[in-house]
Amino acid sequence: MNDFQKLCPKVQKTFDIIGKRWNGLIIYVLMSGPKRFSEIHTSIPSLSKRMLTERMKELEDEGIVIRHVIPERPVRIEYILTKKGTELGSILGPVSQWANEWL
C-alpha cells in the first residue's frame, strides 16, 4: 500500500468531521474558549437544540470536544475543545479568512 492510499482514509475522515453540517461552526465557536450549551446555541441561532445535542455527542465521541460537568448548584455543563479539537479548529481560521474574502 502506498502513502497516498494510507493518507486518503485519514484525510477523508477529517473532511467528514468538519464537513458535516454544523460541526465546523461548532468547533469555530468553541475556539474562543469553553461554552455552555446555551452559549453555543445563541452563537448559531439557526441550529436547533436537538441537532446541537446530536452534533455535540458526535464531536465528543470523536474526541474533539469534552463535556465538562461543573458541580455547582445548579449543575453547570461546559463544552471544551480537546487538544485534538483545538488543532482541528486551528485550520478553520484560514477557512474563515478565505470566506470573508471570497464569499
Side-chain angles (χ1 to χ4, degrees):
M1 185 180 293
N2 65 32
D3 287 340
F4 180 75
Q5 290 170 317
K6 290 179 193 174
L7 177 65
C8 199
K10 292 178 182 180
V11 172
Q12 182 61 50
K13 178 69 173 176
T14 303
F15 281 116
D16 288 346
I17 292 169
I18 61 172
K20 196 166 197 177
R21 187 153 193 198
W22 307 113
N23 281 357
L25 284 174
I26 293 167
I27 294 166
Y28 188 78
V29 166
L30 288 173
M31 285 297 291
S32 62
K35 300 276 185 291
R36 295 179 70 180
F37 184 91
S38 61
E39 293 173 309
I40 299 167
H41 185 257
T42 300
S43 297
I44 313 170
S46 55
L47 172 58
S48 72
K49 289 181 179 180
R50 182 188 63 78
M51 184 58 68
L52 178 55
T53 300
E54 185 178 310
R55 291 297 185 253
M56 295 308 292
K57 179 67 176 137
E58 291 170 0
L59 291 170
E60 196 176 353
D61 290 346
E62 289 290 342
I64 293 170
V65 171
I66 293 174
R67 183 177 182 267
H68 179 71
V69 178
I70 300 168
E72 296 177 344
R73 284 213 185 274
V75 173
R76 202 172 73 169
I77 298 171
E78 289 183 336
Y79 293 91
I80 304 164
L81 289 176
T82 62
K83 183 177 189 300
K84 179 180 175 181
T86 301
E87 289 184 14
L88 178 59
S90 69
I91 67 171
L92 298 178
V95 171
S96 175
Q97 290 172 340
W98 181 89
N100 285 329
E101 184 173 338
W102 294 101
L103 299 180

